[in-house]
Amino acid sequence: MSEFVMTTEQVLCLMARIVVASICGMVIGWEREKRLKSAGLRTHMLVAMASSLMMIISKYGFLDVVYLSSVQVDVSRMASGVVQAIGFLGAGVIFVKRDNIIGVTTAAGLWATVGIGLSIGCGFYVIGISCTILMLIIQYVMHIQEHKSFSTNTGSITINLTKHGLTLNDVKVKLDAIHITIRNISMIHTMEGDVVLKASIICSRSASVPGIMEDISKSGIIDDIEMYTAD
């Protein structure tokens, strides 16, 4: 059985696909890196490069056996395996902090980067590059619009009700005064006999996080606070 050998021109053509896919991944990762996300420049470049490589292997790696009558090869299986495998990497960038989920957009971006790498690996340069540009619009431009129109600042607070001599209604009144809404609450009885309130909060996106922190600190009732930024 003779081994299939590619010409130098064919090898360079396929290498160009991998390079273009890596560049597209770099552009997407640059936007995520600027926002200090867990999956940034190198991660997106590697995902795009690897998915492009897997598609090339899927399409051309079995040319020496695909025409044999005794061998049946489904060239789409490797590509579908890449799409499934990215789920594990995507799950690694999603974090749950109490009632707040962070990293979903980054995980979706990794999944989309796989699609871009696969498309360029197939030779669909225009589609892959166009999707890269579209991803930048979604991640950057739409983030700004969402920031202005829809999103809210979220966080969590801890208040020792016993130490401050407060009731739940007192806390609600004080937080309403600084435009903070309680979403979910839990009450904990400590070994010392204190009652501690833990709550998830929502406040207007129009207010800056430092401003919110300052207002909360001035209230004098909150023992611990944690604010979360949008993905």
Side-chain angles (χ1 to χ4, degrees), residues 179-191:
H179 309 290
I180 293 177
T181 303
I182 296 177
R183 185 170 61 176
N184 294 312
I185 63 172
S186 63
M187 308 285 281
I188 300 173
H189 292 269
T190 66
M191 297 287 292

PDB file of all heavy atoms in Angstrom, residues 179-191:
ATOM      1  N   HIS A 179     -30.036  52.594  46.898  1.00  0.00           N
ATOM      2  CA  HIS A 179     -30.455  51.988  45.623  1.00  0.00           C
ATOM      3  C   HIS A 179     -29.844  50.609  45.381  1.00  0.00           C
ATOM      4  O   HIS A 179     -29.370  50.291  44.292  1.00  0.00           O
ATOM      5  CB  HIS A 179     -30.113  52.920  44.458  1.00  0.00           C
ATOM      6  CG  HIS A 179     -30.588  54.328  44.650  1.00  0.00           C
ATOM      7  ND1 HIS A 179     -31.927  54.659  44.624  1.00  0.00           N
ATOM      8  CD2 HIS A 179     -29.911  55.478  44.895  1.00  0.00           C
ATOM      9  CE1 HIS A 179     -32.056  55.964  44.835  1.00  0.00           C
ATOM     10  NE2 HIS A 179     -30.856  56.483  45.003  1.00  0.00           N
ATOM     11  N   ILE A 180     -29.857  49.792  46.410  1.00  0.00           N
ATOM     12  CA  ILE A 180     -29.391  48.415  46.306  1.00  0.00           C
ATOM     13  C   ILE A 180     -30.541  47.486  46.662  1.00  0.00           C
ATOM     14  O   ILE A 180     -31.217  47.675  47.677  1.00  0.00           O
ATOM     15  CB  ILE A 180     -28.189  48.165  47.239  1.00  0.00           C
ATOM     16  CG1 ILE A 180     -26.984  48.969  46.755  1.00  0.00           C
ATOM     17  CG2 ILE A 180     -27.849  46.686  47.300  1.00  0.00           C
ATOM     18  CD1 ILE A 180     -25.771  48.840  47.637  1.00  0.00           C
ATOM     19  N   THR A 181     -30.754  46.479  45.804  1.00  0.00           N
ATOM     20  CA  THR A 181     -31.858  45.539  45.996  1.00  0.00           C
ATOM     21  C   THR A 181     -31.315  44.176  46.414  1.00  0.00           C
ATOM     22  O   THR A 181     -30.342  43.685  45.836  1.00  0.00           O
ATOM     23  CB  THR A 181     -32.666  45.388  44.691  1.00  0.00           C
ATOM     24  OG1 THR A 181     -33.126  46.666  44.273  1.00  0.00           O
ATOM     25  CG2 THR A 181     -33.848  44.455  44.897  1.00  0.00           C
ATOM     26  N   ILE A 182     -31.962  43.580  47.417  1.00  0.00           N
ATOM     27  CA  ILE A 182     -31.588  42.233  47.848  1.00  0.00           C
ATOM     28  C   ILE A 182     -32.285  41.212  46.956  1.00  0.00           C
ATOM     29  O   ILE A 182     -33.488  41.271  46.742  1.00  0.00           O
ATOM     30  CB  ILE A 182     -31.982  41.997  49.312  1.00  0.00           C
ATOM     31  CG1 ILE A 182     -31.200  42.930  50.233  1.00  0.00           C
ATOM     32  CG2 ILE A 182     -31.730  40.544  49.713  1.00  0.00           C
ATOM     33  CD1 ILE A 182     -31.584  42.814  51.699  1.00  0.00           C
ATOM     34  N   ARG A 183     -31.507  40.266  46.436  1.00  0.00           N
ATOM     35  CA  ARG A 183     -32.078  39.239  45.563  1.00  0.00           C
ATOM     36  C   ARG A 183     -32.340  37.938  46.313  1.00  0.00           C
ATOM     37  O   ARG A 183     -33.438  37.420  46.310  1.00  0.00           O
ATOM     38  CB  ARG A 183     -31.130  38.977  44.373  1.00  0.00           C
ATOM     39  CG  ARG A 183     -31.710  38.000  43.358  1.00  0.00           C
ATOM     40  CD  ARG A 183     -30.877  37.952  42.096  1.00  0.00           C
ATOM     41  NE  ARG A 183     -29.509  37.517  42.356  1.00  0.00           N
ATOM     42  CZ  ARG A 183     -28.613  37.333  41.391  1.00  0.00           C
ATOM     43  NH1 ARG A 183     -28.943  37.581  40.130  1.00  0.00           N
ATOM     44  NH2 ARG A 183     -27.395  36.939  41.684  1.00  0.00           N
ATOM     45  N   ASN A 184     -31.332  37.397  46.947  1.00  0.00           N
ATOM     46  CA  ASN A 184     -31.474  36.154  47.720  1.00  0.00           C
ATOM     47  C   ASN A 184     -30.791  36.338  49.066  1.00  0.00           C
ATOM     48  O   ASN A 184     -29.758  37.015  49.162  1.00  0.00           O
ATOM     49  CB  ASN A 184     -30.837  34.967  46.987  1.00  0.00           C
ATOM     50  CG  ASN A 184     -31.565  34.643  45.699  1.00  0.00           C
ATOM     51  OD1 ASN A 184     -32.781  34.554  45.683  1.00  0.00           O
ATOM     52  ND2 ASN A 184     -30.819  34.489  44.613  1.00  0.00           N
ATOM     53  N   ILE A 185     -31.334  35.721  50.098  1.00  0.00           N
ATOM     54  CA  ILE A 185     -30.740  35.855  51.423  1.00  0.00           C
ATOM     55  C   ILE A 185     -30.647  34.499  52.111  1.00  0.00           C
ATOM     56  O   ILE A 185     -31.384  33.560  51.789  1.00  0.00           O
ATOM     57  CB  ILE A 185     -31.541  36.823  52.331  1.00  0.00           C
ATOM     58  CG1 ILE A 185     -32.956  36.274  52.567  1.00  0.00           C
ATOM     59  CG2 ILE A 185     -31.576  38.220  51.744  1.00  0.00           C
ATOM     60  CD1 ILE A 185     -33.723  37.075  53.615  1.00  0.00           C
ATOM     61  N   SER A 186     -29.711  34.424  53.046  1.00  0.00           N
ATOM     62  CA  SER A 186     -29.620  33.254  53.933  1.00  0.00           C
ATOM     63  C   SER A 186     -29.200  33.750  55.314  1.00  0.00           C
ATOM     64  O   SER A 186     -28.427  34.700  55.427  1.00  0.00           O
ATOM     65  CB  SER A 186     -28.604  32.239  53.394  1.00  0.00           C
ATOM     66  OG  SER A 186     -27.309  32.803  53.354  1.00  0.00           O
ATOM     67  N   MET A 187     -29.720  33.098  56.337  1.00  0.00           N
ATOM     68  CA  MET A 187     -29.440  33.486  57.730  1.00  0.00           C
ATOM     69  C   MET A 187     -28.635  32.368  58.381  1.00  0.00           C
ATOM     70  O   MET A 187     -28.988  31.192  58.273  1.00  0.00           O
ATOM     71  CB  MET A 187     -30.738  33.720  58.492  1.00  0.00           C
ATOM     72  CG  MET A 187     -31.710  34.680  57.809  1.00  0.00           C
ATOM     73  SD  MET A 187     -31.228  36.393  57.914  1.00  0.00           S
ATOM     74  CE  MET A 187     -31.762  36.761  59.573  1.00  0.00           C
ATOM     75  N   ILE A 188     -27.558  32.762  59.070  1.00  0.00           N
ATOM     76  CA  ILE A 188     -26.679  31.797  59.723  1.00  0.00           C
ATOM     77  C   ILE A 188     -26.562  32.145  61.211  1.00  0.00           C
ATOM     78  O   ILE A 188     -26.337  33.311  61.568  1.00  0.00           O
ATOM     79  CB  ILE A 188     -25.280  31.805  59.074  1.00  0.00           C
ATOM     80  CG1 ILE A 188     -25.377  31.441  57.588  1.00  0.00           C
ATOM     81  CG2 ILE A 188     -24.347  30.840  59.792  1.00  0.00           C
ATOM     82  CD1 ILE A 188     -24.070  31.582  56.851  1.00  0.00           C
ATOM     83  N   HIS A 189     -26.714  31.141  62.059  1.00  0.00           N
ATOM     84  CA  HIS A 189     -26.512  31.310  63.501  1.00  0.00           C
ATOM     85  C   HIS A 189     -25.104  30.813  63.842  1.00  0.00           C
ATOM     86  O   HIS A 189     -24.779  29.645  63.631  1.00  0.00           O
ATOM     87  CB  HIS A 189     -27.561  30.521  64.292  1.00  0.00           C
ATOM     88  CG  HIS A 189     -28.946  31.069  64.154  1.00  0.00           C
ATOM     89  ND1 HIS A 189     -29.471  32.012  65.011  1.00  0.00           N
ATOM     90  CD2 HIS A 189     -29.914  30.813  63.236  1.00  0.00           C
ATOM     91  CE1 HIS A 189     -30.699  32.316  64.633  1.00  0.00           C
ATOM     92  NE2 HIS A 189     -31.007  31.597  63.555  1.00  0.00           N
ATOM     93  N   THR A 190     -24.268  31.687  64.341  1.00  0.00           N
ATOM     94  CA  THR A 190     -22.882  31.341  64.643  1.00  0.00           C
ATOM     95  C   THR A 190     -22.768  30.654  65.996  1.00  0.00           C
ATOM     96  O   THR A 190     -23.714  30.623  66.784  1.00  0.00           O
ATOM     97  CB  THR A 190     -22.001  32.609  64.640  1.00  0.00           C
ATOM     98  OG1 THR A 190     -22.403  33.453  65.735  1.00  0.00           O
ATOM     99  CG2 THR A 190     -22.144  33.366  63.339  1.00  0.00           C
ATOM    100  N   MET A 191     -21.573  30.123  66.270  1.00  0.00           N
ATOM    101  CA  MET A 191     -21.307  29.466  67.550  1.00  0.00           C
ATOM    102  C   MET A 191     -21.403  30.453  68.711  1.00  0.00           C
ATOM    103  O   MET A 191     -21.707  30.083  69.839  1.00  0.00           O
ATOM    104  CB  MET A 191     -19.904  28.837  67.525  1.00  0.00           C
ATOM    105  CG  MET A 191     -19.738  27.750  66.476  1.00  0.00           C
ATOM    106  SD  MET A 191     -20.580  26.222  66.909  1.00  0.00           S
ATOM    107  CE  MET A 191     -19.606  25.687  68.302  1.00  0.00           C
TER     108      MET A 191
END
